[in-house]
Amino acid sequence: MPRGNNVQGPANEVGAKIVTSASDIEGLFDTCRVVLFDCDGVLVNSEPISLATLVDVLEHFGAPLSLREVSDRFTGRSSSAPIEYIKEQTGQDVTAAFKPYYYEMLFARYDRDLTKIDQIDDVLAALRARDIAFCISSSSSVERLEKTMQVTGLGPWFEGQVYSADFVENGKPAPDLFLHAADGMGHAPEHTIVIEDSVAGVTAARAAGMKCVGFVGGGHYADDRETACQRLYAAGADIVIDDMANLARAIPA
């Protein structure tokens, strides 16, 4: 069953602030058997690129929004969300045209600017060394995830362990993707930890009955990590961190 609406675990002890101590994280892993990683903003520092690109794409299709509005509406959501928004605003059905236009622009910027989140390799190595399974569970399409893995070199960590919103009917904030991924990895929700940077993703993890570590170390939160932290706690994150090095140190031997 999903956990309640109150923040659980170490968050209560640290006052719902960004956690910097490995000891405040360790307890979450007591029963953990698998970790589900969101991709954009968690594994890779892609959100500043994708949000800025989406601003340009929405303007192209006649449904302009500011960068802040795009971030608030679409962070953590699949591409169906902006497609639906364009239809609401303009009456156009851009389903066929949206992805080719968006991806052409986005992938060119990925080739130039996309980087991994600092110390994410250390987290993945720690999980592997301690025999904790992990996979990607992302709102991004398979095509976008493949490009991300190729550009950043993260692909070998996740071969055969990538779950996309393409695989389920309802994307985040519905729990479908996380439940599908955990089942595919062979583990129950109560033995699962989700690493997420978005309110939609944290909400989905809570609805799936999983523990959730919020992450606010991505570039899209650089100007206001504290506000982002509070939003993720309000959505139900157990803890919120801004440095993957602390998570790597906390994964128990």
Side-chain angles (χ1 to χ4, degrees):
M1 293 290 293
R3 296 168 293 132
N5 290 327
N6 294 323
V7 174
Q8 302 292 315
N12 289 327
E13 300 169 11
V14 297
K17 295 181 179 179
I18 294 173
V19 173
T20 58
S21 170
S23 63
D24 287 324
I25 306 171
E26 291 172 357
L28 287 179
F29 285 86
D30 288 346
T31 61
C32 179
R33 300 291 179 269
V34 63
V35 176
L36 311 184
F37 287 93
D38 180 43
C39 184
D40 298 296
V42 172
L43 294 174
V44 298
N45 199 25
S46 56
E47 288 292 10
I49 304 170
S50 59
L51 293 172
T53 303
L54 189 52
V55 168
D56 294 338
V57 172
L58 289 174
E59 183 173 2
H60 170 79
F61 285 112
L65 289 172
S66 70
L67 182 61
R68 171 54 61 189
E69 289 170 328
V70 166
S71 178
D72 289 344
R73 282 178 176 267
F74 302 121
T75 298
R77 306 288 300 277
S78 71
S79 61
S80 63
I83 290 171
E84 290 168 3
Y85 174 77
I86 292 168
K87 188 172 184 178
E88 290 170 1
Q89 295 299 307
T90 70
Q92 302 177 75
D93 183 354
V94 299
T95 302
F98 181 87
K99 279 189 178 181
Y101 187 84
Y102 179 45
Y103 281 0
E104 181 180 5
M105 188 181 299
L106 181 69
F107 289 172
R109 295 176 182 182
Y110 272 14
D111 285 331
R112 184 179 67 244
D113 299 325
L114 185 63
T115 59
K116 294 182 287 189
I117 292 291
D118 290 344
Q119 277 75 55
I120 192 61
D121 286 295
D122 294 340
V123 173
L124 300 174
L127 290 169
R128 182 165 290 177
R130 290 151 179 81
D131 199 28
I132 298 175
F134 56 86
C135 67
I136 293 174
S137 301
S138 171
S139 293
S140 291
S141 67
V142 171
E143 181 182 2
R144 182 170 168 181
L145 289 169
E146 287 176 347
K147 179 66 173 180
T148 298
M149 296 296 101
Q150 179 263 316
V151 170
T152 62
L154 284 170
W157 285 114
F158 294 100
E159 290 180 359
Q161 297 172 334
V162 178
Y163 297 86
S164 161
D166 289 352
F167 300 169
V168 296
E169 182 176 356
N170 301 303
K172 304 170 190 176
D176 302 31
L177 177 58
F178 290 145
L179 291 171
H180 174 67
D183 183 65
M185 296 295 289
H187 295 282
E190 60 266 28
H191 296 148
T192 303
I193 291 177
V194 174
I195 315 293
E196 263 288 354
D197 70 311
S198 71
V199 168
V202 173
T203 302
R206 288 294 302 267
M210 300 171 180
K211 294 179 181 177
C212 186
V213 175
F215 180 68
V216 295
H220 56 308
Y221 289 141
D223 293 335
D224 197 354
R225 299 204 192 284
E226 289 297 332
T227 297
C229 170
Q230 295 307 315
R231 291 181 67 193
L232 296 189
Y233 274 127
D238 290 276
I239 60 169
V240 177
I241 63 173
D242 66 354
D243 188 346
M244 286 294 181
N246 294 327
L247 182 59
R249 287 192 291 269
I251 297 168

